[in-house]
PDB file of all heavy atoms in Angstrom:
ATOM      1  N   LEU A 711       0.836  -1.204   0.003  1.00 98.00           N
ATOM      2  CA  LEU A 711      -0.002   0.006   0.004  1.00 98.00           C
ATOM      3  C   LEU A 711       0.863   1.261   0.010  1.00 98.00           C
ATOM      4  O   LEU A 711       0.597   2.207  -0.764  1.00 98.00           O
ATOM      5  CB  LEU A 711      -0.937  -0.021   1.222  1.00 98.00           C
ATOM      6  CG  LEU A 711      -2.019  -1.063   1.237  1.00 98.00           C
ATOM      7  CD1 LEU A 711      -2.725  -1.110   2.589  1.00 98.00           C
ATOM      8  CD2 LEU A 711      -3.051  -0.821   0.115  1.00 98.00           C
ATOM      9  N   ALA A 712       1.896   1.288   0.818  1.00 98.00           N
ATOM     10  CA  ALA A 712       2.753   2.456   0.889  1.00 98.00           C
ATOM     11  C   ALA A 712       3.489   2.653  -0.451  1.00 98.00           C
ATOM     12  O   ALA A 712       3.677   3.782  -0.898  1.00 98.00           O
ATOM     13  CB  ALA A 712       3.769   2.310   2.029  1.00 98.00           C
ATOM     14  N   ARG A 713       3.902   1.552  -1.054  1.00 98.00           N
ATOM     15  CA  ARG A 713       4.587   1.674  -2.358  1.00 98.00           C
ATOM     16  C   ARG A 713       3.647   2.226  -3.403  1.00 98.00           C
ATOM     17  O   ARG A 713       4.073   3.061  -4.229  1.00 98.00           O
ATOM     18  CB  ARG A 713       5.117   0.303  -2.777  1.00 98.00           C
ATOM     19  CG  ARG A 713       5.824   0.340  -4.136  1.00 98.00           C
ATOM     20  CD  ARG A 713       6.498  -0.958  -4.478  1.00 98.00           C
ATOM     21  NE  ARG A 713       7.048  -0.924  -5.847  1.00 98.00           N
ATOM     22  CZ  ARG A 713       7.831  -1.858  -6.371  1.00 98.00           C
ATOM     23  NH1 ARG A 713       8.175  -2.918  -5.626  1.00 98.00           N
ATOM     24  NH2 ARG A 713       8.293  -1.737  -7.616  1.00 98.00           N
ATOM     25  N   ARG A 714       2.381   1.782  -3.409  1.00 98.00           N
ATOM     26  CA  ARG A 714       1.433   2.338  -4.371  1.00 98.00           C
ATOM     27  C   ARG A 714       1.300   3.843  -4.224  1.00 98.00           C
ATOM     28  O   ARG A 714       1.302   4.602  -5.206  1.00 98.00           O
ATOM     29  CB  ARG A 714       0.059   1.676  -4.215  1.00 98.00           C
ATOM     30  CG  ARG A 714      -0.060   0.319  -4.900  1.00 98.00           C
ATOM     31  CD  ARG A 714      -1.438  -0.276  -4.657  1.00 98.00           C
ATOM     32  NE  ARG A 714      -2.522   0.632  -4.986  1.00 98.00           N
ATOM     33  CZ  ARG A 714      -3.717   0.619  -4.408  1.00 98.00           C
ATOM     34  NH1 ARG A 714      -3.998  -0.274  -3.449  1.00 98.00           N
ATOM     35  NH2 ARG A 714      -4.652   1.478  -4.776  1.00 98.00           N
ATOM     36  N   ALA A 715       1.214   4.313  -2.975  1.00 98.00           N
ATOM     37  CA  ALA A 715       1.136   5.743  -2.734  1.00 98.00           C
ATOM     38  C   ALA A 715       2.406   6.437  -3.190  1.00 98.00           C
ATOM     39  O   ALA A 715       2.343   7.495  -3.840  1.00 98.00           O
ATOM     40  CB  ALA A 715       0.888   5.991  -1.256  1.00 98.00           C
ATOM     41  N   ALA A 716       3.551   5.874  -2.853  1.00 98.00           N
ATOM     42  CA  ALA A 716       4.824   6.499  -3.185  1.00 98.00           C
ATOM     43  C   ALA A 716       5.041   6.548  -4.704  1.00 98.00           C
ATOM     44  O   ALA A 716       5.598   7.539  -5.228  1.00 98.00           O
ATOM     45  CB  ALA A 716       5.955   5.742  -2.507  1.00 98.00           C
ATOM     46  N   GLU A 717       4.642   5.518  -5.418  1.00 98.00           N
ATOM     47  CA  GLU A 717       4.836   5.496  -6.862  1.00 98.00           C
ATOM     48  C   GLU A 717       3.919   6.483  -7.593  1.00 98.00           C
ATOM     49  O   GLU A 717       4.160   6.779  -8.758  1.00 98.00           O
ATOM     50  CB  GLU A 717       4.620   4.077  -7.391  1.00 98.00           C
ATOM     51  CG  GLU A 717       5.735   3.117  -7.030  1.00 98.00           C
ATOM     52  CD  GLU A 717       5.550   1.726  -7.583  1.00 98.00           C
ATOM     53  OE1 GLU A 717       4.366   1.282  -7.705  1.00 98.00           O
ATOM     54  OE2 GLU A 717       6.532   1.072  -7.877  1.00 98.00           O
ATOM     55  N   SER A 718       2.930   7.005  -6.893  1.00 98.00           N
ATOM     56  CA  SER A 718       1.999   7.964  -7.504  1.00 98.00           C
ATOM     57  C   SER A 718       2.461   9.415  -7.387  1.00 98.00           C
ATOM     58  O   SER A 718       1.854  10.288  -7.979  1.00 98.00           O
ATOM     59  CB  SER A 718       0.617   7.800  -6.895  1.00 98.00           C
ATOM     60  OG  SER A 718       0.541   8.447  -5.617  1.00 98.00           O
ATOM     61  N   VAL A 719       3.525   9.678  -6.611  1.00 98.00           N
ATOM     62  CA  VAL A 719       3.832  11.072  -6.294  1.00 98.00           C
ATOM     63  C   VAL A 719       4.259  11.837  -7.544  1.00 98.00           C
ATOM     64  O   VAL A 719       4.956  11.282  -8.432  1.00 98.00           O
ATOM     65  CB  VAL A 719       4.924  11.192  -5.219  1.00 98.00           C
ATOM     66  CG1 VAL A 719       4.490  10.529  -3.923  1.00 98.00           C
ATOM     67  CG2 VAL A 719       6.272  10.658  -5.685  1.00 98.00           C
ATOM     68  N   ASP A 720       3.863  13.060  -7.613  1.00 97.00           N
ATOM     69  CA  ASP A 720       4.315  13.995  -8.655  1.00 97.00           C
ATOM     70  C   ASP A 720       5.589  14.642  -8.129  1.00 97.00           C
ATOM     71  O   ASP A 720       5.547  15.345  -7.130  1.00 97.00           O
ATOM     72  CB  ASP A 720       3.238  15.030  -8.916  1.00 97.00           C
ATOM     73  CG  ASP A 720       3.617  16.005 -10.030  1.00 97.00           C
ATOM     74  OD1 ASP A 720       4.784  15.965 -10.508  1.00 97.00           O
ATOM     75  OD2 ASP A 720       2.776  16.839 -10.406  1.00 97.00           O
ATOM     76  N   THR A 721       6.706  14.367  -8.746  1.00 97.00           N
ATOM     77  CA  THR A 721       7.984  14.878  -8.240  1.00 97.00           C
ATOM     78  C   THR A 721       8.444  16.200  -8.841  1.00 97.00           C
ATOM     79  O   THR A 721       9.518  16.679  -8.533  1.00 97.00           O
ATOM     80  CB  THR A 721       9.087  13.812  -8.460  1.00 97.00           C
ATOM     81  OG1 THR A 721       9.201  13.559  -9.884  1.00 97.00           O
ATOM     82  CG2 THR A 721       8.774  12.524  -7.730  1.00 97.00           C
ATOM     83  N   ALA A 722       7.595  16.805  -9.678  1.00 97.00           N
ATOM     84  CA  ALA A 722       7.985  18.081 -10.281  1.00 97.00           C
ATOM     85  C   ALA A 722       8.247  19.128  -9.187  1.00 97.00           C
ATOM     86  O   ALA A 722       7.401  19.339  -8.324  1.00 97.00           O
ATOM     87  CB  ALA A 722       6.885  18.575 -11.212  1.00 97.00           C
ATOM     88  N   GLY A 723       9.383  19.764  -9.227  1.00 96.00           N
ATOM     89  CA  GLY A 723       9.747  20.769  -8.258  1.00 96.00           C
ATOM     90  C   GLY A 723      10.044  20.214  -6.891  1.00 96.00           C
ATOM     91  O   GLY A 723      10.118  20.967  -5.909  1.00 96.00           O
ATOM     92  N   ARG A 724      10.268  18.902  -6.761  1.00 98.00           N
ATOM     93  CA  ARG A 724      10.540  18.256  -5.483  1.00 98.00           C
ATOM     94  C   ARG A 724      11.808  17.433  -5.602  1.00 98.00           C
ATOM     95  O   ARG A 724      11.760  16.219  -5.836  1.00 98.00           O
ATOM     96  CB  ARG A 724       9.328  17.378  -5.077  1.00 98.00           C
ATOM     97  CG  ARG A 724       8.022  18.191  -4.949  1.00 98.00           C
ATOM     98  CD  ARG A 724       6.921  17.258  -4.552  1.00 98.00           C
ATOM     99  NE  ARG A 724       5.605  17.838  -4.710  1.00 98.00           N
ATOM    100  CZ  ARG A 724       4.781  18.168  -3.725  1.00 98.00           C
ATOM    101  NH1 ARG A 724       5.131  17.984  -2.464  1.00 98.00           N
ATOM    102  NH2 ARG A 724       3.584  18.672  -3.966  1.00 98.00           N
ATOM    103  N   PRO A 725      12.955  18.047  -5.414  1.00 98.00           N
ATOM    104  CA  PRO A 725      14.229  17.362  -5.709  1.00 98.00           C
ATOM    105  C   PRO A 725      14.511  16.143  -4.866  1.00 98.00           C
ATOM    106  O   PRO A 725      15.009  15.144  -5.366  1.00 98.00           O
ATOM    107  CB  PRO A 725      15.275  18.459  -5.482  1.00 98.00           C
ATOM    108  CG  PRO A 725      14.604  19.488  -4.601  1.00 98.00           C
ATOM    109  CD  PRO A 725      13.171  19.449  -4.985  1.00 98.00           C
ATOM    110  N   LEU A 726      14.213  16.185  -3.575  1.00 98.00           N
ATOM    111  CA  LEU A 726      14.503  15.033  -2.722  1.00 98.00           C
ATOM    112  C   LEU A 726      13.539  13.890  -2.965  1.00 98.00           C
ATOM    113  O   LEU A 726      13.944  12.725  -2.987  1.00 98.00           O
ATOM    114  CB  LEU A 726      14.503  15.442  -1.245  1.00 98.00           C
ATOM    115  CG  LEU A 726      15.765  16.202  -0.800  1.00 98.00           C
ATOM    116  CD1 LEU A 726      15.545  16.816   0.577  1.00 98.00           C
ATOM    117  CD2 LEU A 726      16.958  15.264  -0.791  1.00 98.00           C
ATOM    118  N   ALA A 727      12.274  14.222  -3.200  1.00 98.00           N
ATOM    119  CA  ALA A 727      11.319  13.167  -3.551  1.00 98.00           C
ATOM    120  C   ALA A 727      11.694  12.526  -4.872  1.00 98.00           C
ATOM    121  O   ALA A 727      11.655  11.311  -5.001  1.00 98.00           O
ATOM    122  CB  ALA A 727       9.900  13.737  -3.610  1.00 98.00           C
ATOM    123  N   ALA A 728      12.078  13.350  -5.849  1.00 98.00           N
ATOM    124  CA  ALA A 728      12.419  12.835  -7.174  1.00 98.00           C
ATOM    125  C   ALA A 728      13.643  11.906  -7.068  1.00 98.00           C
ATOM    126  O   ALA A 728      13.666  10.833  -7.722  1.00 98.00           O
ATOM    127  CB  ALA A 728      12.669  13.972  -8.126  1.00 98.00           C
ATOM    128  N   ALA A 729      14.647  12.338  -6.347  1.00 98.00           N
ATOM    129  CA  ALA A 729      15.887  11.534  -6.259  1.00 98.00           C
ATOM    130  C   ALA A 729      15.615  10.180  -5.609  1.00 98.00           C
ATOM    131  O   ALA A 729      16.133   9.141  -6.057  1.00 98.00           O
ATOM    132  CB  ALA A 729      16.928  12.290  -5.434  1.00 98.00           C
ATOM    133  N   ASN A 730      14.780  10.130  -4.608  1.00 98.00           N
ATOM    134  CA  ASN A 730      14.464   8.866  -3.955  1.00 98.00           C
ATOM    135  C   ASN A 730      13.510   8.018  -4.799  1.00 98.00           C
ATOM    136  O   ASN A 730      13.607   6.785  -4.802  1.00 98.00           O
ATOM    137  CB  ASN A 730      13.876   9.116  -2.565  1.00 98.00           C
ATOM    138  CG  ASN A 730      14.950   9.437  -1.552  1.00 98.00           C
ATOM    139  OD1 ASN A 730      15.626   8.541  -1.014  1.00 98.00           O
ATOM    140  ND2 ASN A 730      15.130  10.728  -1.263  1.00 98.00           N
ATOM    141  N   ALA A 731      12.611   8.660  -5.522  1.00 98.00           N
ATOM    142  CA  ALA A 731      11.661   7.933  -6.367  1.00 98.00           C
ATOM    143  C   ALA A 731      12.363   7.266  -7.542  1.00 98.00           C
ATOM    144  O   ALA A 731      11.874   6.282  -8.088  1.00 98.00           O
ATOM    145  CB  ALA A 731      10.563   8.852  -6.881  1.00 98.00           C
ATOM    146  N   GLU A 732      13.515   7.797  -7.903  1.00 98.00           N
ATOM    147  CA  GLU A 732      14.258   7.256  -9.032  1.00 98.00           C
ATOM    148  C   GLU A 732      15.055   5.998  -8.702  1.00 98.00           C
ATOM    149  O   GLU A 732      15.507   5.290  -9.567  1.00 98.00           O
ATOM    150  CB  GLU A 732      15.226   8.341  -9.547  1.00 98.00           C
ATOM    151  CG  GLU A 732      15.614   8.180 -11.007  1.00 98.00           C
ATOM    152  CD  GLU A 732      16.402   9.404 -11.502  1.00 98.00           C
ATOM    153  OE1 GLU A 732      17.125  10.030 -10.739  1.00 98.00           O
ATOM    154  OE2 GLU A 732      16.193   9.745 -12.690  1.00 98.00           O
ATOM    155  N   LEU A 733      15.221   5.720  -7.402  1.00 98.00           N
ATOM    156  CA  LEU A 733      15.989   4.555  -6.982  1.00 98.00           C
ATOM    157  C   LEU A 733      15.237   3.264  -7.313  1.00 98.00           C
ATOM    158  O   LEU A 733      14.010   3.235  -7.322  1.00 98.00           O
ATOM    159  CB  LEU A 733      16.264   4.619  -5.495  1.00 98.00           C
ATOM    160  CG  LEU A 733      17.056   5.840  -4.969  1.00 98.00           C
ATOM    161  CD1 LEU A 733      17.191   5.750  -3.453  1.00 98.00           C
ATOM    162  CD2 LEU A 733      18.426   5.914  -5.640  1.00 98.00           C
ATOM    163  N   GLU A 734      15.992   2.193  -7.541  1.00 98.00           N
ATOM    164  CA  GLU A 734      15.371   0.884  -7.716  1.00 98.00           C
ATOM    165  C   GLU A 734      14.727   0.458  -6.399  1.00 98.00           C
ATOM    166  O   GLU A 734      15.239   0.748  -5.313  1.00 98.00           O
ATOM    167  CB  GLU A 734      16.393  -0.160  -8.158  1.00 98.00           C
ATOM    168  CG  GLU A 734      16.905   0.049  -9.547  1.00 98.00           C
ATOM    169  CD  GLU A 734      17.846  -1.075  -9.972  1.00 98.00           C
ATOM    170  OE1 GLU A 734      17.930  -2.096  -9.261  1.00 98.00           O
ATOM    171  OE2 GLU A 734      18.497  -0.933 -11.033  1.00 98.00           O
ATOM    172  N   TRP A 735      13.634  -0.272  -6.508  1.00 98.00           N
ATOM    173  CA  TRP A 735      12.962  -0.778  -5.305  1.00 98.00           C
ATOM    174  C   TRP A 735      13.693  -2.022  -4.799  1.00 98.00           C
ATOM    175  O   TRP A 735      14.005  -2.919  -5.575  1.00 98.00           O
ATOM    176  CB  TRP A 735      11.495  -1.116  -5.599  1.00 98.00           C
ATOM    177  CG  TRP A 735      10.654   0.094  -5.717  1.00 98.00           C
ATOM    178  CD1 TRP A 735      10.359   0.753  -6.876  1.00 98.00           C
ATOM    179  CD2 TRP A 735      10.002   0.804  -4.660  1.00 98.00           C
ATOM    180  NE1 TRP A 735       9.542   1.841  -6.592  1.00 98.00           N
ATOM    181  CE2 TRP A 735       9.320   1.898  -5.257  1.00 98.00           C
ATOM    182  CE3 TRP A 735       9.928   0.630  -3.293  1.00 98.00           C
ATOM    183  CZ2 TRP A 735       8.578   2.788  -4.512  1.00 98.00           C
ATOM    184  CZ3 TRP A 735       9.203   1.519  -2.541  1.00 98.00           C
ATOM    185  CH2 TRP A 735       8.529   2.595  -3.151  1.00 98.00           C
ATOM    186  N   PRO A 736      13.959  -2.071  -3.496  1.00 98.00           N
ATOM    187  CA  PRO A 736      14.529  -3.309  -2.960  1.00 98.00           C
ATOM    188  C   PRO A 736      13.522  -4.431  -3.012  1.00 98.00           C
ATOM    189  O   PRO A 736      12.314  -4.204  -3.148  1.00 98.00           O
ATOM    190  CB  PRO A 736      14.884  -2.932  -1.496  1.00 98.00           C
ATOM    191  CG  PRO A 736      14.126  -1.680  -1.194  1.00 98.00           C
ATOM    192  CD  PRO A 736      13.745  -1.061  -2.512  1.00 98.00           C
ATOM    193  N   GLU A 737      14.001  -5.665  -2.919  1.00 97.00           N
ATOM    194  CA  GLU A 737      13.090  -6.835  -3.033  1.00 97.00           C
ATOM    195  C   GLU A 737      12.309  -7.077  -1.749  1.00 97.00           C
ATOM    196  O   GLU A 737      11.143  -7.463  -1.798  1.00 97.00           O
ATOM    197  CB  GLU A 737      13.907  -8.086  -3.400  1.00 97.00           C
ATOM    198  CG  GLU A 737      14.475  -8.043  -4.823  1.00 97.00           C
ATOM    199  CD  GLU A 737      15.166  -9.334  -5.175  1.00 97.00           C
ATOM    200  OE1 GLU A 737      15.039 -10.317  -4.400  1.00 97.00           O
ATOM    201  OE2 GLU A 737      15.822  -9.393  -6.220  1.00 97.00           O
ATOM    202  N   SER A 738      12.933  -6.912  -0.593  1.00 98.00           N
ATOM    203  CA  SER A 738      12.285  -7.279   0.687  1.00 98.00           C
ATOM    204  C   SER A 738      11.158  -6.297   1.019  1.00 98.00           C
ATOM    205  O   SER A 738      11.334  -5.097   0.920  1.00 98.00           O
ATOM    206  CB  SER A 738      13.315  -7.261   1.815  1.00 98.00           C
ATOM    207  OG  SER A 738      14.381  -8.161   1.536  1.00 98.00           O
ATOM    208  N   PRO A 739       9.995  -6.823   1.458  1.00 98.00           N
ATOM    209  CA  PRO A 739       8.876  -5.927   1.776  1.00 98.00           C
ATOM    210  C   PRO A 739       9.234  -4.862   2.849  1.00 98.00           C
ATOM    211  O   PRO A 739       8.794  -3.736   2.731  1.00 98.00           O
ATOM    212  CB  PRO A 739       7.798  -6.898   2.300  1.00 98.00           C
ATOM    213  CG  PRO A 739       8.091  -8.177   1.584  1.00 98.00           C
ATOM    214  CD  PRO A 739       9.597  -8.247   1.503  1.00 98.00           C
ATOM    215  N   HIS A 740      10.013  -5.263   3.868  1.00 98.00           N
ATOM    216  CA  HIS A 740      10.310  -4.278   4.911  1.00 98.00           C
ATOM    217  C   HIS A 740      11.172  -3.135   4.362  1.00 98.00           C
ATOM    218  O   HIS A 740      11.013  -1.973   4.799  1.00 98.00           O
ATOM    219  CB  HIS A 740      10.941  -4.920   6.136  1.00 98.00           C
ATOM    220  CG  HIS A 740      12.278  -5.542   5.920  1.00 98.00           C
ATOM    221  ND1 HIS A 740      12.465  -6.658   5.170  1.00 98.00           N
ATOM    222  CD2 HIS A 740      13.526  -5.175   6.377  1.00 98.00           C
ATOM    223  CE1 HIS A 740      13.753  -6.997   5.142  1.00 98.00           C
ATOM    224  NE2 HIS A 740      14.415  -6.103   5.878  1.00 98.00           N
ATOM    225  N   LEU A 741      12.063  -3.438   3.403  1.00 98.00           N
ATOM    226  CA  LEU A 741      12.861  -2.362   2.812  1.00 98.00           C
ATOM    227  C   LEU A 741      12.030  -1.560   1.805  1.00 98.00           C
ATOM    228  O   LEU A 741      12.255  -0.352   1.629  1.00 98.00           O
ATOM    229  CB  LEU A 741      14.093  -2.936   2.147  1.00 98.00           C
ATOM    230  CG  LEU A 741      15.113  -3.511   3.097  1.00 98.00           C
ATOM    231  CD1 LEU A 741      16.319  -4.063   2.346  1.00 98.00           C
ATOM    232  CD2 LEU A 741      15.578  -2.478   4.150  1.00 98.00           C
TER     233      LEU A 741
END
């Protein structure tokens, strides 16, 4: 659920959100 919310974010004008959203997702659910 949290990943679905995070993958929906609009990162325009949001440098820290954009940088983290660009990272590959880890495999483990807790990560």
Side-chain angles (χ1 to χ4, degrees):
L711 292 171
R713 178 173 175 172
R714 277 178 53 208
E717 287 181 329
S718 78
V719 300
D720 182 353
T721 59
R724 301 180 194 248
L726 284 168
N730 282 280
E732 204 170 35
L733 301 178
E734 291 185 11
W735 285 92
E737 291 184 10
S738 301
H740 64 291
L741 292 180

